[in-house]
Amino acid sequence: MSPRCHPSLYWNTHSCPTPSGLSPEKTEPLTVPRGASPCHIPTSRLQGGWHLGPRSILVALLGCHCNSTRSPASAALSTLTWCRHDDLKEMLDSNKDSLKLEAMKRIVAMIARGKNASDLFPAVVKNVACKNIEVKKLVYVYLVRYAEEQQDLALLSISTFQRGLKDPNQLIRASALRVLSSIRVPIIVPIMMLAIKEAASDMSPYVRKTAAHAIPKLYSLDSDQKDQLIEVIEKLLADKTTLVAGSVVMAFEEVCPERIDLIHKNYRKLCNLLIDVEEWGQVVIINMLTRYARTQFLSPNQNESLLEESAEKAFYGSEEEDTKDAKAEAASLAKRKPYVMDPDHRLLLRNTKPLLQSRNAAVVMAVAQLYFHLAPKAEVGVIAKALVRLLRSHSEVQYVVLQNVATMSIKRRGMFEPYLKSFYIRSTDPTQIKILKLEVLTNLANETNISTILREFQTYIRSMDKDFVAATIQAIGRCATNIGKVRDTCLNGLVQLLSNRDELVVAESVVVIKKLLQMQPAQHSEIIKHMAKLTDNIQVPMARASILWLIGEYCEHVPKIAPDVLRKMAKSFTNEEDIVKLQVINLAAKLYLTNSKQSKLLTQYVLNLAKYDQNYDIRDRARFIRQLIVPTEKSGALNKYAKKLFLAQKPAPILESSFKDRDHFQLGSLSHLLNAKAVGYQELPDWPDEAPDPSVRNVEVRGTPRCTWDILRLGHLAGVLGELQKVPHIPSLSDSEESGSSSSSGTSSSSSEEEDEEEEEEGSGEQSEEKEGEEEEEKRKKRKEKGGLRKASPGSAGR
Amino acid sequence: MIHSLFLINASGDIFLEKHWKSVVSRSVCDYFFEAQERASEAENVPPVISTPHHYLLSVYRHKIFFVAVIQTEVPPLFVIEFLHRVVDTFQDYFGICSEVMIKDNVVVVYEVLEEMLDNGFPLATESNILKELIKPPTILRTVVNTITGSTNVGDQLPTGQLSVVPWRRTGVKYTNNEAYFDVIEEIDAIIDKSGSTITAEIQGVIDACVKLTGMPDLTLSFMNPRLLDDVSFHPCVRFKRWESERILSFIPPDGNFRLLSYHVSAQNLVAIPVYVKHNINFRDSSSLGRFEITVGPKQTMGKTIEGVMVTSQMPKGVLNMSLTPSQGTHIFDPVTKLLTWDVGKINPQKLPSLKGSMNLQAGTSKPDENPTINLQFKIQQLAISGLKVNRLDMYGEKYKPFKGIKYMTKAGKFQVRT
């Protein structure tokens, strides 16, 4: 669709209150001669007709300005708005660059502060072709910010960018494409599309990188272009330079993450380039490859997956069970056909491992999640050390890493056990970090280390941070439920806490004790008795309520005390909080059912009090319970079942980590962190049952011996590349012809020589293929250096 | 990826906003303010906040919140790491990163942000490249600029982005060629009441300041590389070489950078260079408490401990403290209840101590908890792990550079429980 088909465009120009500063008299001499001057889109450079579209818009637009007679009203209006920034406008119109610069700086400062500077648009846009590079840059900043709001006027700048796209200097081409694709004016979609296509086959990798960046921009502007954009992505994915790789995978993820088939042919290349890609690109590529691997390879733990459930049971179990597991595992291994890891799967694992050493926390996390999701169980351990290292970083990084460690530590506890002490809490940690560390410590607790962990917890309980203390008590409760051995110790400790002065601590302890007692009430009537005594002192409503519930629930274990407690509570009933009152009624009802002789009158009394309570919940409850338990002529059939209703076996609450099922989200993702699917989250697929055809990843490289990849797959990447360097006549991985010879001479070339090469390339417009060859060459040289195989360098003399 | 960035100061003003895609109204920050209100302290604001249409990821540094707005799934660490990189870049550019500094240099800040992200995806984050694109403001340059009307924007093009060593700018020239390496080790420790070590580990970094002409290729080797248990490198370090020979081989960036950070393996027992004797007592009956701490050297290998600073967060019940230090100065802030004692050097013959009494709130019972004591100190000329650099060699250039190596040990998160 040609932009010319938009008649509305011209109308908009009239109707919008264009400031009078852009009067026809002024605009015409400013822009038209530029359009006509020989330096502006020289016709010799016009290859193909695609320039005509936008240019004609421009001409048409200017024509409109010339011919239109402005309505006086709109002129007046615009003068008003204009006055505000009159001085700026004047400065922008001046001939001096320094004045223009000053004005632009002030405008940018306004934008930065969030002030509206949109009415200056016409004055600013005129300077888009300014020779001064800083003015130009600031104008670009302004354009990208406001072009969306002033679409018609923004078109005035397009021709400048189009000219830039044809510039012999790659950096100018790139920056022109960058701004052109950033101004978000739907009408130039066709121009953008053409520009991206052109740039995607540019000989400079930097321009190609910019093209890759432009793809998601265009896609968000007009998603109808998807098919065409996928073509461009496919082309760029085949690019062999590290500069492009990260950006194009990012574009792939935003435009067509479902087209996993596009990756096949590039899979091995991406794996091999990975280490040299810039850090941000690495993150994107690793995340994408994780998803890819999940669809293409078989689970390395498939033999164990059957046993997953039994392993789960043995999770907090004893060592013996573990060994049993191992035996069962071995048995099932024998039954099934042996699993052989796809060499490509291995390649990915091997090539990502060094990145655990990255200084960038995001890269480390990306590799960690890759290993967690893809590596055989035995190999996952390597990531623990790196993740623990990240705990030294800023607290925000700690926060994210700890969340992920918490999830991992549930599935793979052994991995983090050696680093237990790294999760010890310092009083200076922010509360949210403390609570996460506590979570990890609890997950790591087992029979052997529980005593140290509990000793730590004892210190934490004395902390000044009460939220943290409450979390610690919960953690103790979880340890006690999970590890039977220490249940009594924990319970005693918690009972001691009941005499703590802090309400929160007491309440939390009571609640946790209640949960623990529910698991084995028979053995603990002593504690229940102790808690019954506490009702005299404890004032925290939640705690009182918990105690009353406990006594009611287990009144059979404390037959003498329970009616007495009810008697006391009946006395103080009117002064209690609502939740306590409800529990008093519950207690009364349960006692009435089990021990009606002693408590009949008390229950009646309590119910009568409740009947006239101010709170309707309590009145309702009293009425309901009275009908249910006190047999009258009117009461129905339910009466018979009252005992069953009230004294039913209640299952003990299961205290488990809130991170338990988080691992169905890809680790390290935003969705995992929020425990909710974020917009645009790509589900991590399950392993396939049958491996898809691995041959799709085979790459037919013209003139390259087939064996190359096989050797690579055996894992001697560096060695092979070294070999290639030594034997000049073997064609390189690229299809360039001359790379072999330059490689033999180039081994000793210092980096400065490489610089020279580059400048040469920049000047002379060589064939893009040759260029690529050279880049490949540089690439290999660099990789070779990394591999420590620098023969000519004196540095490796001792090798 | 990253849609917008808002910078918010301590008093809750948005003083800078930058959008890389369509403009996101600053009202989105209301959700952030809400979360801020809920969290009592700045550091407790959750780094990730979910709102109906956006997700807000923030970092808090130098009393400024850097809040990034994103709309779709993206690894949270990616954004957080990037925001920290932004702060580091500002620090690198302006020396300090503060609200005033950012406001004063708003144009440079804006230009830098523009270069760092393209459509929300990181483009140039290496300080060497950025500095080539946009020159950092210096006093001299500001003066020259006002006179001549020239600018901060580099007139050359960022060739670094195209080179095979993207972290190093090209055409570097110095008259004095020098390379300095600082080996800095930090001890993280928790010491319990009785003085025994609960956990102690050493984390080290090697910070470098390299000012060398041309494209030097450096190798750095250690006497005892086995000490290094877990390392992370600057991207310039050749990983394979480290794996095979335990040698750091790299083409350095120009200027200051962190070459390496490492962790010393847990098997090695950490020598704790200081001890703290403390006696902090709250008595149940009276409203007075005793407070006494003494700091002394332990295993210092004959070096002096300097820059000692003791801080302790006292319980809420403490109204005031009347203390006398044997050396240094001390401050007790009755509002935040933070006690700070700037000790200075430790003289082993005359150990510094701080003694006195605490006034407790009358009528309330004694606090449950004893305060923890946080310690800071420095020891020059010593790497506590015993790590030693063997030699530094340069290849690829003809001249002879001046080389310097400095060791230092510091307290990291060093805590004594009482």
Side-chain angles (χ1 to χ4, degrees):
Chain A
M1 184 182 68
S2 155
R4 262 178 292 183
C5 312
H6 281 276
S8 60
L9 168 72
Y10 312 126
W11 285 110
N12 284 344
T13 331
H14 296 290
S15 52
C16 76
T18 323
S20 60
L22 192 74
S23 66
E25 293 78 31
K26 270 191 178 165
T27 322
E28 203 181 26
L30 249 172
T31 328
V32 172
R34 243 190 258 150
S37 75
C39 71
H40 176 59
I41 319 182
T43 30
S44 59
R45 286 191 157 272
L46 281 177
Q47 301 144 349
W50 66 276
H51 262 286
L52 291 172
R55 214 155 71 104
S56 53
I57 295 180
L58 200 70
V59 172
L61 189 73
L62 294 171
C64 283
H65 272 289
C66 301
N67 301 335
S68 69
T69 42
R70 197 173 298 275
S71 76
S74 77
L77 186 77
S78 51
T79 345
L80 251 177
T81 53
W82 203 236
C83 289
R84 279 212 317 238
H85 303 305
D86 238 355
D87 50 336
L88 285 175
K89 196 207 81 183
E90 240 165 61
M91 286 162 88
L92 285 170
D93 281 345
S94 80
N95 292 329
K96 277 192 196 147
D97 276 355
S98 59
L99 277 178
K100 284 183 179 177
L101 184 61
E102 186 53 37
M104 279 318 294
K105 279 185 172 173
R106 278 170 57 188
I107 294 169
V108 167
M110 277 166 65
I111 298 175
R113 269 180 285 130
K115 297 249 166 68
N116 187 6
S118 59
D119 50 351
L120 285 163
F121 200 95
V124 174
V125 82
K126 279 184 290 188
N127 289 305
V128 73
C130 182
K131 288 276 182 299
N132 183 307
I133 197 153
E134 184 162 23
V135 174
K136 202 171 185 159
K137 259 193 176 159
L138 294 175
V139 171
Y140 285 0
V141 169
Y142 183 92
L143 260 181
V144 171
R145 170 69 178 75
Y146 283 114
E148 212 174 0
E149 293 170 25
Q150 311 245 354
Q151 307 225 345
D152 311 333
L153 285 170
L155 294 177
L156 288 171
S157 61
I158 305 296
S159 65
T160 318
F161 302 132
Q162 287 186 311
R163 195 168 5 137
L165 286 172
K166 295 284 157 195
D167 198 279
N169 187 320
Q170 49 180 341
L171 291 154
I172 291 177
R173 286 201 301 278
S175 89
L177 179 61
R178 200 181 146 194
V179 183
L180 180 73
S181 57
S182 297
I183 54 176
R184 296 183 299 272
V185 178
I187 214 163
I188 61 158
V189 162
I191 305 175
M192 265 167 83
M193 192 67 230
L194 283 165
I196 290 173
K197 276 185 182 165
E198 193 114 315
S201 44
D202 198 285
M203 62 183 183
S204 150
Y206 186 64
V207 177
R208 295 201 297 274
K209 181 189 175 76
T210 318
H213 276 273
I215 291 170
K217 298 183 201 169
L218 179 55
Y219 181 64
S220 66
L221 200 61
D222 180 7
S223 50
D224 292 345
Q225 306 290 327
K226 186 169 175 175
D227 292 338
Q228 288 192 62
L229 285 176
I230 290 178
E231 274 170 38
V232 182
I233 289 174
E234 196 172 358
K235 181 172 181 183
L236 285 172
L237 273 173
D239 206 293
K240 292 186 185 67
T241 54
T242 50
L243 210 53
V244 184
S247 304
V248 68
V249 172
M250 192 266 303
F252 170 83
E253 289 283 79
E254 282 199 23
V255 178
C256 52
E258 72 284 352
R259 287 290 304 275
I260 209 88
D261 56 297
L262 296 180
I263 304 300
H264 290 321
K265 293 270 180 240
N266 303 298
Y267 173 81
R268 287 169 195 161
K269 184 198 69 194
L270 283 174
C271 285
N272 287 323
L273 288 184
L274 195 58
I275 192 145
D276 294 324
V277 175
E278 38 89 35
E279 358 177 44
W280 311 106
Q282 283 172 346
V283 178
V284 179
I285 296 178
I286 292 170
N287 277 322
M288 189 273 293
L289 288 178
T290 309
R291 236 178 50 243
Y292 177 86
R294 270 294 185 103
T295 61
Q296 300 300 319
F297 307 128
L298 291 176
S299 164
N301 299 317
Q302 53 178 269
N303 295 321
E304 289 135 60
S305 61
L306 283 177
L307 294 154
E308 201 90 305
E309 274 153 37
S310 60
E312 197 86 319
K313 269 182 219 148
F315 197 69
Y316 293 108
S318 62
E319 295 286 312
E320 279 170 48
E321 280 175 278
D322 283 347
T323 50
K324 231 186 277 166
D325 260 2
K327 271 180 209 157
E329 219 164 85
S332 79
L333 249 169
K335 257 183 268 162
R336 287 165 142 262
K337 71 170 187 214
Y339 165 77
V340 181
M341 188 184 274
D342 190 296
D344 287 329
H345 190 170
R346 177 51 66 200
L347 175 77
L348 177 62
L349 291 176
R350 196 179 43 238
N351 283 6
T352 46
K353 197 173 167 187
L355 294 178
L356 283 173
Q357 247 77 47
S358 171
R359 64 167 172 174
N360 188 319
V363 177
V364 177
M365 189 66 232
V367 179
Q369 65 84 23
L370 181 131
Y371 261 74
F372 184 79
H373 289 301
L374 300 182
K377 255 185 183 164
E379 291 171 42
V380 180
V382 295
I383 63 176
K385 200 188 268 182
L387 286 176
V388 169
R389 184 182 67 228
L390 296 186
L391 295 180
R392 282 273 303 164
S393 188
H394 302 283
S395 84
E396 295 87 4
V397 177
Q398 283 183 45
Y399 177 80
V400 179
V401 172
L402 281 170
Q403 297 244 5
N404 286 291
V405 170
T407 307
M408 289 184 198
S409 60
I410 289 175
K411 264 269 161 71
R412 310 268 157 86
R413 185 168 43 136
M415 197 162 94
F416 291 100
E417 260 170 42
Y419 304 98
L420 185 73
K421 287 189 170 176
S422 306
F423 299 101
Y424 280 7
I425 293 153
R426 295 183 157 78
S427 64
T428 40
D429 287 332
T431 311
Q432 47 186 357
I433 299 291
K434 284 181 185 161
I435 290 172
L436 283 169
K437 279 187 175 173
L438 210 53
E439 178 73 41
V440 175
L441 284 175
T442 318
N443 289 342
L444 294 182
N446 63 12
E447 300 233 320
T448 44
N449 60 22
I450 185 69
S451 54
T452 18
I453 290 183
L454 283 180
R455 213 175 308 132
E456 265 300 293
F457 284 180
Q458 271 170 17
T459 357
Y460 301 162
I461 283 169
R462 287 203 302 270
S463 163
M464 295 180 214
D465 186 344
K466 291 305 166 202
D467 291 337
F468 169 53
V469 174
T472 310
I473 295 169
Q474 298 255 11
I476 293 175
R478 260 181 61 205
C479 287
T481 41
N482 295 335
I483 302 163
K485 201 177 78 178
V486 293
R487 200 167 292 156
D488 293 338
T489 332
C490 289
L491 211 48
N492 287 336
L494 289 170
V495 170
Q496 275 169 28
L497 282 180
L498 291 177
S499 46
N500 197 294
R501 249 187 317 277
D502 195 273
E503 292 201 337
L504 219 125
V505 175
V506 178
E508 205 68 47
S509 322
V510 168
V511 174
V512 172
I513 291 174
K514 187 195 97 185
K515 286 178 183 164
L516 286 180
L517 287 185
Q518 239 178 311
M519 299 176 78
Q520 35 183 188
Q523 302 159 27
H524 294 292
S525 47
E526 278 305 310
I527 293 176
I528 299 177
K529 277 177 201 158
H530 179 95
M531 289 180 70
K533 283 180 203 150
L534 278 172
T535 45
D536 295 341
N537 305 324
I538 288 187
Q539 294 308 322
V540 184
M542 187 60 204
R544 286 175 82 84
S546 293
I547 296 172
L548 291 174
W549 183 88
L550 259 181
I551 295 171
E553 189 65 25
Y554 304 115
C555 52
E556 277 151 9
H557 299 290
V558 282
K560 287 191 181 147
I561 294 171
D564 198 48
V565 172
L566 181 62
R567 179 185 60 82
K568 282 186 193 165
M569 295 315 294
K571 253 167 114 182
S572 61
F573 185 84
T574 45
N575 300 324
E576 297 290 350
E577 287 278 328
D578 289 347
I579 44 165
V580 185
K581 283 178 180 171
L582 287 174
Q583 289 306 328
V584 175
I585 299 172
N586 272 351
L587 173 64
K590 284 171 185 169
L591 281 178
Y592 185 91
L593 291 171
T594 52
N595 185 4
S596 64
K597 207 165 57 178
Q598 268 187 307
S599 52
K600 190 170 179 181
L601 284 172
L602 271 173
T603 308
Q604 296 281 7
Y605 177 68
V606 168
L607 288 176
N608 280 337
L609 281 178
K611 191 176 174 184
Y612 299 105
D613 200 90
Q614 286 187 321
N615 186 304
Y616 50 77
D617 266 348
I618 294 167
R619 294 198 300 272
D620 272 0
R621 179 74 63 92
R623 192 181 307 140
F624 160 72
I625 283 179
R626 191 192 294 271
Q627 290 301 317
L628 206 57
I629 61 170
V630 185
T632 58
E633 65 276 15
K634 265 189 267 172
S635 63
L638 270 178
N639 200 336
K640 274 178 260 166
Y641 302 105
K643 199 163 183 173
K644 274 190 180 161
L645 281 174
F646 279 101
L647 297 170
Q649 271 288 332
K650 291 154 189 98
I654 303 159
L655 299 177
E656 59 183 17
S657 168
S658 54
F659 287 87
K660 186 153 188 294
D661 287 323
R662 287 243 194 135
D663 64 331
H664 64 267
F665 288 115
Q666 187 170 3
L667 285 172
S669 69
L670 184 64
S671 304
H672 169 264
L673 192 86
L674 298 168
N675 201 13
K677 219 179 209 174
V679 181
Y681 173 69
Q682 294 287 323
E683 203 78 53
L684 195 64
D686 262 338
W687 296 102
D689 294 332
E690 285 293 319
D693 183 16
S695 66
V696 287
R697 284 182 293 276
N698 289 346
V699 188
E700 302 280 344
V701 180
R702 184 157 43 92
T704 305
R706 244 313 180 42
C707 66
T708 316
W709 277 118
D710 292 335
I711 299 168
L712 284 180
R713 287 164 73 174
L714 286 172
H716 303 294
L717 175 64
V720 171
L721 289 167
E723 286 307 311
L724 285 175
Q725 299 275 330
K726 276 181 215 151
V727 190
H729 65 262
I730 293 183
S732 73
L733 300 178
S734 74
D735 21 9
S736 102
E737 303 247 86
E738 40 85 74
S739 64
S741 60
S742 82
S743 77
S744 57
S745 66
T747 34
S748 62
S749 80
S750 72
S751 315
S752 58
E753 274 176 77
E754 287 167 19
E755 279 313 300
D756 293 343
E757 275 174 29
E758 249 178 43
E759 269 158 43
E760 274 174 32
E761 287 158 20
E762 224 177 85
S764 62
E766 281 173 293
Q767 292 286 306
S768 66
E769 266 186 17
E770 279 174 15
K771 169 97 183 169
E772 255 172 35
E774 282 188 23
E775 268 149 20
E776 188 60 27
E777 186 46 45
E778 283 169 17
K779 208 47 277 136
R780 287 212 326 254
K781 230 180 280 166
K782 198 175 148 211
R783 206 180 302 140
K784 194 163 65 76
E785 282 171 11
K786 287 214 176 188
L789 287 163
R790 302 173 69 251
K791 281 163 289 173
S793 151
S796 54
R799 115 193 96 95
Chain B
M1 290 205 157
I2 299 170
H3 253 258
S4 307
L5 175 72
F6 295 97
L7 266 56
I8 299 172
N9 65 12
S11 52
D13 297 327
I14 304 170
F15 66 92
L16 188 121
E17 61 178 75
K18 170 90 185 95
H19 308 275
W20 284 276
K21 299 187 185 185
S22 296
V23 178
V24 177
S25 156
R26 54 163 69 191
S27 64
V28 76
C29 290
D30 291 348
Y31 293 102
F32 179 80
F33 294 133
E34 242 169 65
Q36 198 184 2
E37 219 152 89
R38 239 175 289 133
S40 46
E41 281 163 61
E43 54 188 7
N44 270 328
V45 178
V48 182
I49 299 167
S50 172
T51 78
H53 301 289
H54 301 93
Y55 304 98
L56 305 178
L57 278 76
S58 61
V59 304
Y60 180 67
R61 275 178 76 182
H62 306 287
K63 302 210 162 48
I64 302 171
F65 283 103
F66 294 75
V67 184
V69 183
I70 58 169
Q71 264 184 338
T72 53
E73 168 70 47
V74 58
L77 267 187
F78 186 97
V79 181
I80 286 169
E81 182 77 18
F82 175 79
L83 290 177
H84 280 300
R85 201 62 69 78
V86 170
V87 183
D88 293 341
T89 310
F90 288 170
Q91 227 169 345
D92 196 30
Y93 259 77
F94 313 122
I96 47 159
C97 173
S98 68
E99 188 190 344
V100 179
M101 219 43 172
I102 291 174
K103 278 181 171 168
D104 286 351
N105 296 291
V106 69
V107 176
V108 179
V109 166
Y110 225 70
E111 284 169 331
V112 169
L113 287 176
E114 181 76 27
E115 290 300 335
M116 287 184 88
L117 282 184
D118 180 16
N119 195 35
F121 191 78
L123 189 65
T125 50
E126 282 297 336
S127 121
N128 261 244
I129 293 179
L130 281 171
K131 281 189 170 167
E132 213 174 325
L133 288 168
I134 299 141
K135 298 223 170 64
T138 58
I139 296 167
L140 182 70
R141 196 171 294 126
T142 320
V143 174
V144 172
N145 285 356
T146 32
I147 296 167
T148 61
S150 63
T151 68
N152 278 335
V153 170
D155 41 3
Q156 315 145 308
L157 292 153
T159 43
Q161 269 174 329
L162 310 169
S163 93
V164 277
V165 277
W167 52 83
R168 187 174 176 86
R169 67 191 179 95
T170 47
V172 185
K173 274 205 180 72
Y174 288 102
T175 38
N176 293 324
N177 289 295
E178 34 192 29
Y180 297 103
F181 293 87
D182 293 356
V183 180
I184 302 167
E185 295 192 338
E186 292 191 354
I187 306 174
D188 285 356
I190 302 178
I191 312 286
D192 80 353
K193 211 171 182 156
S194 60
S196 53
T197 312
I198 293 178
T199 157
E201 45 191 29
I202 302 172
Q203 310 277 350
V205 293
I206 299 183
D207 282 339
C209 176
V210 176
K211 294 180 173 174
L212 297 174
T213 308
M215 274 285 169
D217 195 332
L218 303 179
T219 58
L220 186 79
S221 60
F222 298 102
M223 304 275 263
N224 38 8
R226 276 172 186 283
L227 275 176
L228 308 182
D229 175 40
D230 180 38
V231 282
S232 73
F233 301 118
H234 189 275
C236 67
V237 177
R238 297 183 178 100
F239 182 74
K240 290 268 165 58
R241 193 90 191 273
W242 170 258
E243 281 288 89
S244 55
E245 303 168 63
R246 299 273 143 179
I247 284 176
L248 293 175
S249 154
F250 56 97
I251 296 172
D254 184 46
N256 295 313
F257 66 103
R258 174 155 296 173
L259 178 67
L260 169 81
S261 39
Y262 61 89
H263 178 264
V264 175
S265 61
Q267 281 81 24
N268 297 46
L269 280 178
V270 179
I272 304 289
V274 287
Y275 71 87
V276 178
K277 259 204 277 186
H278 51 85
N279 184 6
I280 303 172
N281 259 326
F282 301 104
R283 263 162 293 169
D284 240 336
S285 47
S286 81
S287 63
L288 274 183
R290 267 242 311 275
F291 185 96
E292 192 179 329
I293 43 178
T294 312
V295 188
K298 220 159 134 187
Q299 293 153 292
T300 62
M301 332 225 170
K303 303 280 196 298
T304 42
I305 303 173
E306 40 191 89
V308 181
M309 175 93 98
V310 177
T311 51
S312 181
Q313 178 74 50
M314 304 309 282
K316 286 205 177 61
V318 177
L319 284 183
N320 213 339
M321 305 180 83
S322 47
L323 304 168
T324 33
S326 70
Q327 72 176 74
T329 51
H330 79 283
I331 305 165
F332 175 71
D333 185 338
V335 181
T336 57
K337 315 284 180 202
L338 189 71
L339 172 73
T340 317
W341 176 30
D342 188 350
V343 186
K345 248 181 219 168
I346 294 182
N347 177 2
Q349 271 76 51
K350 194 174 156 290
L351 296 178
S353 66
L354 183 68
K355 287 180 197 169
S357 61
M358 299 177 279
N359 294 327
L360 303 177
Q361 205 160 3
T364 55
S365 41
K366 69 166 189 153
D368 297 321
E369 69 279 326
N370 273 348
T372 46
I373 298 168
N374 294 304
L375 215 62
Q376 281 167 45
F377 55 82
K378 258 193 281 191
I379 306 171
Q380 303 280 3
Q381 311 298 333
L382 173 73
I384 197 87
S385 69
L387 185 75
K388 269 219 136 57
V389 172
N390 185 22
R391 54 182 297 140
L392 175 74
D393 297 298
M394 187 183 75
Y395 307 100
E397 295 287 335
K398 298 278 183 301
Y399 57 86
K400 257 196 138 25
F402 181 81
K403 298 173 279 193
I405 299 214
K406 206 169 79 181
Y407 297 93
M408 181 150 77
T409 298
K410 284 202 287 194
K413 293 173 182 161
F414 197 101
Q415 219 162 65
V416 181
R417 292 176 179 166
T418 63

